[in-house]
C-alpha cells in the first residue's frame, strides 16, 4: 500500500479535517469490492511468506557494527539487475501474474526503517507438499540475492531489532538525531524510509497524539544493575522541539528503557504468512480460527530481549510496535474526559484483534468483545449496502481510526474501481490477523494474513514456522477444528506472551476441545477421517446436547500442552493434530521426513528442549566477557552477537554453534 502513491500529503490538522470524508469513501470502496467479490469462488489455496531483514555494516577492524541506511541503494541495485529481472525477480511488478512457485526470483520491498528490506517469494506457494519443502531454499536464495546487492561489509540479518538502535552513533551514514518529523532525541529522521508515506505516518501519529510516542520497556534487573534504574541515555536538557518537554513531564519511566519514536517499533522485523482462501467463507473461518493461536506463535518465536543497548525484561517486540504507532489522544486514552474525541479506545492501531467474523454456528456471542468500539453510522451504511452484521461490525471497528496519511490529490473524486481510501484505514490497522478483501481489478481472492510471529535468525527456523502455520491451517480446515475462546482472552494472552520465557513458564487461555462435534443440521463439520490416527479422541458429544457455559470451554494451558498435547489425553495438541492430518493425506516418506524436522523444532521450542532466540541471545550476552551484569549490552557485545547471528544463519547449528536453539541433528539439504 501507498508506496506507489505520489502527491502532497496533508499535515496533521489538515488531514484531521478530511478524516470523515476519507472514511466514508473508504466504506463505499469496500462496499464496491464486497458486491463484486463476495461470491468469488474456487480460488486456489495459495499462500506466501514475508521475511524482513535489517541491514548491518560490520567493521571487523574496529570491532563494531552499525545499521546501514542504504535501503534505497540496495533496492535500486535489485531493481536494475538484469539477471534478476530475467528470472522474474527484483522489485515487484504487480502486472505480473503468478508464475510457477519457487522458480521465479524473489521480490524485494521497502519497509519502515531505512535499514530494512522485505523479501517475498516471486510467486505464491501452492497447495502441494512439494512447495512446503521449497520454502526454505527460497528463503536462502532471497538472503543470498539480498547480500549480493549489498556492499562487502553489509549483511542482511534476521534479528527482530538492531540491539543498538537509538544509541545515537550506530548508524551509517551518520545523521544527528532530533529532526522535525520524528523529533526523537535518539534517532535522526533519516532512520525512516524517505518515501513520503513513512515520515508522514510518523509525524502525523505524533501530532495526533499531541506528544511523542512513548515506549517504556521494563529493563532486566541483573545482579549489578543500578536499582532503581533510570535510563542513562535520556537527555533531560534538550530544547529543540516542544516535544523535548515529554521527558521532563515524566515520559521516561523508572526501571524502564525509554524510546520515543516510531522507528523503535516499526523498525522491528517479523515473519508473516498470508493465505488466499477458496472463498470468503473459508477466509472468514481462517481469520477466526487462527486468531487464538496468535499469542502462542508470538511466545514460540520470541526473539527480542535487547533494546537500545540494554537487556529488557520482556522477550518480544509486540507492545513496542504497538506503542510506537499509538496515535490515541489523551481523551481516547482515558486520561482526560471526552470533549473533542468521539470515544475512548482501549487499544493502539497496532494490537491484537478484537473481532471474530466467521458465520460459523460455533461462534457464540459470548466470544465477542463486549466493549468493542465501532462507528455505528459506517456500520449502518455497510449493512444498508448488503453486508452482514458481523463483517460490517469488523470494518466499522477498524474505521474508528483516523486516516494518517492523506494525499490532497486523492480527495477530488471517488473512484469505486480503486481501494485507496479503504486501504488507507485497513493498512494502518496493524492487528495480529488481517482480513484482506480482493483488490479491485485483480484475480486475487479473499486473503488472511497472520502477523504475530517474530523473525527468526535462520532460514531453517523461518521455514519451520511458516510450514507449521500452513499445516495447522490445513488441519483446521480439514478437520473443522474449533479454537474459539472469548476474544478478550486472546488480548490477555498477548500480554502473557511478553514475559521472559513465557513459552516455558506461563499459561495461556486455550480451548479445551478443538475437535468438532458430530455433524449436525446446523453444522456441516466433518470428523477426522476414520482410520486417521488422531490421538486421544474425545468422546463425541451428541449434537443436540445443551451448550455449556463458555467459561467451561477453555482453560489455562502451557505452550507445551497446547503444542504437544497432554499425556493424560485431555488435550490433543496442535502438532499431533498436524500429524494426524498428514496421516490422512498421501504424503510420501521423504516429504514426511523433511516436514518432521520442522515440526521437531516447534515441538522442542514448546517443551523447552530448544531455546527461543530471546533466551539464546540473553544467554549469549550474559556469558560474554564484556558483560558486567548491569543490563548494559555494549557495542562490543553487539558486534559479537551480530557476528554470531551471521554464523548461525550460515551454519544453522551444523557446526554445533546454537544447537540449544536449533537442535543437534539438522540434516544437510
Ligand atoms: N514489521 C512489523 C512487525 O514486526 O510486526 C510488520 C510490518 C508492518 O506492519 N509494517 C508497516 C506497514 O504498514 C510499516 S509502517 N507496512 C506496509 C503495509 O502493511 O501495508
Amino acid at each position: 500500500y501507498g508506496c506507489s502513491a505520489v502527491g502532497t500529503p496533508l499535515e496533521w490538522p489538515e488531514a484531521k479535517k478530511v478524516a470523515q470524508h476519507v472514511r466514508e469513501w473508504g466504506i463505499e470502496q469496500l462496499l464496491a469490492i464486497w458486491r463484486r467479490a463476495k461470491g468469488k469462488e474456487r480460488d486456489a489455496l495459495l499462500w506466501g511468506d514475508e521475511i524482513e531483514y535489517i541491514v548491518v555494516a560490520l567493521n571487523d577492524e574496529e570491532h563494531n557494527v552499525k545499521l546501514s541506511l542504504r535501503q534505497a541503494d540496495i533496492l535500486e541495485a535489485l531493481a536494475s539487475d538484469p539477471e534478476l529481472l530475467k528470472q522474474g525477480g527484483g522489485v515487484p511488478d504487480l502486472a505480473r501474474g503468478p508464475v510457477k512457485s519457487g522458480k521465479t526470483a524473489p521480490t524485494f520491498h521497502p519497509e519502515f526503517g531505512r535499514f530494512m528490506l522485505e523479501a517475498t517469494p516471486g510467486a505464491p506457494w501452492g497447495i502441494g507438499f512439494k512447495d512446503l519443502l521449497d520454502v526454505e531454499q527460497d528463503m536462502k536464495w532471497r538472503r543470498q540475492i539480498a547480500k549480493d546487492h549489498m556492499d562487502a561489509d553489509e549483511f542482511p540479518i534476521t534479528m527482530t531489532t538492531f540491539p543498538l538502535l537509538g544509541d545515537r552513533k550506530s548508524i551509517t551514514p551518520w545523521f544527528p538525531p532530533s529532526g522535525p518529523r520524528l523529533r526523537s532525541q535518539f534517532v535522526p529522521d533519516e532512520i525512516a524510509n524517505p518515501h513520503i508515506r513513512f515520515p508522514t505516518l510518523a509525524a502525523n501519529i505524533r501530532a495526533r497524539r499531541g506528544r511523542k510516542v512513548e515506549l517504556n520497556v521494563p529493563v532486566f534487573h541483573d545482579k549489578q544493575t543500578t536499582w532503581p534504574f533510570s535510563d542513562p541515555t535520556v537527555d533531560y536538557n534538550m530544547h529543540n522541539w516542544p516535544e523535548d518537554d515529554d521527558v521532563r513531564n515524566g515520559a521516561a519511566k523508572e526501571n524502564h528503557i525509554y524510546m520515543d519514536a516510531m522507528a523503535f517499533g516499526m523498525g522491528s522485523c517479523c515473519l508473516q504468512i498470508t493465505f488466499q482462501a477458496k472463498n470468503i467463507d473459508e477466509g472468514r473461518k481462517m481469520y477466526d480460527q487462527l486468531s487464538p493461536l496468535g499469542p502462542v506463535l508470538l511466545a514460540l518465536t520470541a526473539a527480542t530481549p535487547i533494546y537500545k543497548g540494554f537487556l529488557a525484561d520482556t522477550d518480544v517486540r509486540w507492545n513496542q510496535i504497538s506503542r510506537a504507532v499509538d496515535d490515541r489522544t489523551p481523551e481516547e486514552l482515558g486520561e482526560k474526559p471526552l470533549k473533542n474525541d468521539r470515544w475512548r479506545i482501549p487499544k493502539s492501531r497496532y494490537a491484537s484483534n478484537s473481532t471474530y467474523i466467521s458465520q460459523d454456528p460455533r461462534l457464540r456471542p459470548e466470544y465477542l468483545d463486549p466493549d468493542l468500539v465501532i462507528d455505528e453510522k459506517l456500520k449502518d451504511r455497510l449493512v444498508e449496502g448488503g453486508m452482514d452484521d458481523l463483517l460490517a461490525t469488523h470494518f466499522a471497528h477498524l474505521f474508528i481510526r483516523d486516516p494518517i496519511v492523506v494525499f490532497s490529490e486523492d480527495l477530488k473524486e471517488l473512484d469505486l474501481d480503486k481501494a485507496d481510501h479503504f486501504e488507507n484505514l485497513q493498512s494502518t490497522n496493524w492487528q495480529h490477523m488481517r482480513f484482506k478483501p480482493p483488490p479491485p481489478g485483480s484475480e486475487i481472492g479473499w486473503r488472511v494474513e497472520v502477523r504475530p510471529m517474530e523473525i527468526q535468525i535462520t532460514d531453517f527456523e523461518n521455514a519451520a514456522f511458516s510450514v507449521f502455520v500452513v499445516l495447522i491451517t490445513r488441519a483446521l480446515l480439514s478437520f473443522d477444528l474449533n479454537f474459539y475462546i472469548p476474544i478478550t482472552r486472546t488480548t490477555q494472552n498477548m500480554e502473557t506472551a511478553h514475559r521472559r520465557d513465557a513459552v516455558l513458564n506461563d499459561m495461556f487461555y486455550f480451548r479445551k476441545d478443538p475437535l468438532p462435534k458430530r455433524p449436525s443440521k446446523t453444522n456441516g463439520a466433518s470428523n477426522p477421517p476414520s482410520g486417521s490416527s488422531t490421538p486421544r479422541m474425545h468422546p463425541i458429544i451428541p449434537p443436540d446436547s445443551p451448550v455449556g457455559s463458555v467459561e467451561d470451554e477453555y482453560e489455562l494451558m502451557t505452550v507445551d500442552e497446547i503444542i504437544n498435547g497432554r499425556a493424560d489425553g485431555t488435550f490433543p495438541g496442535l502438532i499431533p493434530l498436524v500429524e494426524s492430518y498428514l496421516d490422512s493425506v498421501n504424503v510420501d516418506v521423504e516429504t514426511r521426513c523433511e516436514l518432521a524436522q520442522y515440526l521437531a523444532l516447534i515441538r522442542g521450542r514448546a517443551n523447552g528442549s530448544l531455546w527461543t532466540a530471546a533466551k539464546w541471545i540473553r544467554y549469549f550476552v550474559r556469558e560474554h566477557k564484556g558483560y558486567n551484569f548491569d543490563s548494559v549490552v555494549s557495542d562490543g557485545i553487539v558486534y559479537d552477537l551480530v557476528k554470531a547471528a551471521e554464523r548461525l544463519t550460515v551454519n544453522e547449528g551444523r557446526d554445533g554453534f546454537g544447537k540449544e536453539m536449533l537442535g543437534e541433528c539438522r540434516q544437510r539439504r
Side-chain angles (χ1 to χ4, degrees):
Y1 166 76
C3 285
S4 54
V6 276
T8 322
L10 300 177
E11 301 273 318
W12 181 246
E14 301 311 309
K16 174 78 189 174
K17 285 180 201 149
V18 296
Q20 191 58 19
H21 180 150
V22 174
R23 277 192 290 262
E24 282 167 11
W25 281 11
I27 289 292
E28 294 308 318
Q29 288 179 332
L30 171 60
L31 274 174
I33 295 172
W34 161 259
R35 281 191 215 104
R36 278 192 299 258
K38 63 174 189 245
K40 211 167 177 303
E41 277 291 344
R42 288 189 296 279
D43 285 318
L45 215 172
L46 301 175
W47 65 281
D49 66 278
E50 295 165 52
I51 303 267
E52 295 176 344
Y53 308 83
I54 56 176
V55 184
V56 295
L58 281 161
N59 185 328
D60 292 330
E61 267 147 49
E62 290 175 19
H63 218 67
N64 73 35
V65 56
K66 292 181 174 171
L67 266 189
S68 165
L69 302 189
R70 292 200 327 108
Q71 176 191 61
D73 302 326
I74 296 165
L75 284 171
E76 174 56 35
L78 286 159
S80 56
D81 178 338
E83 262 315 296
L84 213 50
L85 293 173
K86 220 165 57 196
Q87 296 175 71
V91 289
D93 173 4
L94 292 180
R96 190 178 66 220
V99 200
K100 211 171 157 359
S101 300
K103 300 286 182 286
T104 316
T107 48
F108 292 85
H109 320 255
E111 247 297 334
F112 179 85
R114 200 184 283 199
F115 51 86
M116 290 168 85
L117 288 180
E118 181 188 290
T120 52
W125 303 108
I127 181 95
F129 283 95
K130 176 74 176 57
D131 282 10
L132 293 179
L133 303 186
D134 284 344
V135 176
E136 185 179 341
Q137 282 313 317
D138 195 79
M139 288 175 174
K140 293 190 154 88
W141 190 20
R142 280 177 243 174
R143 192 185 292 271
Q144 186 59 49
I145 293 173
K147 172 64 195 143
D148 288 346
H149 293 79
M150 292 177 185
D151 287 346
D153 63 339
E154 286 173 329
F155 295 86
I157 299 283
T158 42
M159 290 174 74
T160 49
T161 50
F162 181 60
L164 295 174
L165 178 64
D167 87 330
R168 298 193 182 95
K169 65 179 183 309
S170 297
I171 45 175
T172 177
W174 185 81
F175 297 92
S178 199
R181 304 310 229 149
L182 273 60
R183 306 197 181 176
S184 167
Q185 53 163 273
F186 306 106
V187 289
D189 279 4
E190 287 79 1
I191 202 78
N193 181 332
H195 183 284
I196 192 68
R197 165 177 157 85
F198 299 100
T200 308
L201 261 174
N204 285 358
I205 285 172
R206 176 179 49 67
R208 190 181 190 286
R209 256 178 85 77
R211 52 194 163 173
K212 284 188 288 186
V213 292
E214 209 172 286
L215 294 75
N216 282 288
V217 191
V219 72
F220 175 67
H221 189 171
D222 216 333
K223 292 185 287 198
Q224 306 291 338
T225 309
T226 320
W227 210 258
F229 172 89
S230 125
D231 186 334
T233 66
V234 178
D235 184 347
Y236 288 91
N237 300 310
M238 268 177 77
H239 293 277
N240 297 348
W241 308 105
E243 288 79 2
D244 293 329
D245 284 340
D246 288 1
V247 289
R248 289 183 284 273
N249 293 332
K253 306 277 184 265
E254 189 173 83
N255 298 335
H256 289 74
I257 308 155
Y258 169 71
M259 294 167 284
D260 64 352
M262 183 165 168
F264 287 106
M266 280 298 181
S268 320
C269 299
C270 66
L271 170 67
Q272 295 175 340
I273 311 292
T274 302
F275 294 98
Q276 173 170 283
K278 72 169 189 273
N279 56 30
I280 186 170
D281 288 339
E282 190 181 80
R284 292 171 73 162
K285 175 178 276 188
M286 282 189 206
Y287 175 91
D288 280 14
Q289 294 302 331
L290 291 170
S291 170
L293 307 187
V296 179
L297 292 170
L298 180 60
L300 279 166
T301 54
T304 320
I306 306 174
Y307 277 100
K308 220 180 63 175
F310 297 99
L311 275 181
D313 202 31
T314 54
D315 268 2
V316 299
R317 79 198 188 292
W318 192 263
N319 280 345
Q320 280 67 259
I321 310 185
S322 180
R323 306 227 159 94
V325 291
D326 190 353
D327 68 343
R328 289 174 297 169
T329 65
E331 291 181 25
E332 288 167 341
L333 286 163
E335 294 172 2
K336 284 188 187 166
L338 278 179
K339 211 172 100 208
N340 302 309
D341 290 314
R342 296 189 288 173
W343 33 57
R344 289 200 173 165
I345 305 180
K347 288 178 180 176
S348 163
R349 305 175 78 109
Y350 184 108
S352 66
N353 288 62
S354 296
T355 57
Y356 284 130
I357 59 172
S358 177
Q359 286 168 312
D360 183 331
R362 301 173 303 181
L363 169 53
R364 298 174 66 171
E366 296 95 320
Y367 302 153
L368 301 172
D369 182 351
D371 302 316
L372 189 76
V373 184
I374 61 167
D375 186 319
E376 295 284 355
K377 271 218 190 86
L378 296 180
K379 177 177 164 185
D380 289 348
R381 174 66 194 125
L382 287 171
V383 170
E384 185 192 288
M387 192 180 283
D388 56 275
D389 198 272
L390 207 54
L391 198 57
T393 301
H394 166 76
F395 287 113
H397 168 62
L398 300 188
F399 273 64
I400 62 172
R401 311 286 172 173
D402 281 342
I404 298 290
V405 183
V406 184
F407 294 99
S408 55
E409 289 82 351
D410 296 342
L411 297 171
K412 298 209 173 95
E413 79 187 288
L414 171 61
D415 186 347
L416 289 177
D417 292 325
K418 281 168 71 180
D420 53 342
H421 300 296
F422 167 68
E423 282 299 335
N424 194 333
L425 276 305
Q426 160 93 344
S427 77
T428 52
N429 267 278
W430 298 280
Q431 301 189 336
H432 83 278
M433 300 290 306
R434 189 180 275 169
F435 184 60
K436 302 171 92 164
S442 81
E443 285 298 296
I444 299 171
W446 294 88
R447 286 162 304 155
V448 172
E449 186 177 29
V450 183
R451 303 170 47 89
M453 289 188 284
E454 309 234 304
I455 198 74
Q456 305 293 289
I457 295 174
T458 68
D459 293 318
F460 162 57
E461 296 160 278
N462 287 315
F465 278 99
S466 304
V467 165
F468 176 62
V469 171
V470 173
L471 289 177
I472 198 74
T473 306
R474 302 267 164 87
L476 83 82
L477 291 177
S478 164
F479 298 156
D480 205 23
L481 300 176
N482 179 2
F483 294 126
Y484 276 126
I485 54 171
I487 198 144
T488 50
R489 292 299 192 193
T490 299
T491 304
Q492 283 175 281
N493 283 345
M494 216 67 176
E495 286 304 315
T496 305
H498 283 71
R499 300 209 191 123
R500 223 169 358 101
D501 279 330
V503 70
L504 302 180
N505 305 330
D506 285 289
M507 310 271 274
F508 294 76
Y509 294 103
F510 211 79
R511 192 177 179 90
K512 290 181 198 169
D513 184 2
L515 297 169
K517 297 175 188 177
R518 200 203 305 274
S520 69
K521 281 189 200 78
T522 51
N523 179 357
S526 57
N527 277 315
S530 60
S532 92
S533 62
T534 301
R536 307 185 280 262
M537 290 281 281
H538 290 254
I540 290 168
I541 306 162
D544 43 5
S545 67
V547 261
S549 136
V550 165
E551 299 306 307
D552 291 338
E553 292 176 350
Y554 64 93
E555 63 188 315
L556 284 165
M557 299 187 199
T558 63
V559 173
D560 187 26
E561 290 173 322
I562 294 168
I563 294 292
N564 296 319
R566 283 181 173 151
D568 67 2
T570 53
F571 184 76
L574 300 185
I575 292 218
L577 285 167
V578 163
E579 300 274 10
S580 57
Y581 164 73
L582 291 172
D583 291 342
S584 75
V585 288
N586 273 330
V587 194
D588 61 85
V589 179
E590 199 189 326
T591 306
R592 191 71 190 257
C593 275
E594 298 262 4
L595 295 177
Q597 289 193 58
Y598 294 144
L599 296 179
L601 181 83
I602 315 292
R603 188 180 291 122
R605 287 282 164 86
N607 69 24
S609 61
L610 297 177
W611 298 1
T612 62
K615 181 167 175 157
W616 193 88
I617 292 170
R618 237 175 242 295
Y619 184 84
F620 182 93
V621 169
R622 295 186 85 247
E623 288 294 300
H624 195 282
K625 60 182 185 325
Y627 182 66
N628 299 321
F629 295 90
D630 55 358
S631 318
V632 176
V633 188
S634 66
D635 301 15
I637 301 177
V638 173
Y639 169 83
D640 287 335
L641 177 59
V642 170
K643 289 291 259 192
E646 181 57 17
R647 179 172 170 192
L648 290 168
T649 321
V650 173
N651 294 316
E652 298 188 328
R654 284 181 293 259
D655 57 353
F657 186 65
K659 60 181 193 301
E660 310 81 6
M661 177 165 62
L662 304 169
E664 292 270 7
C665 46
R666 166 90 176 117
Q667 281 166 28
R668 200 172 282 273
R669 290 192 59 194

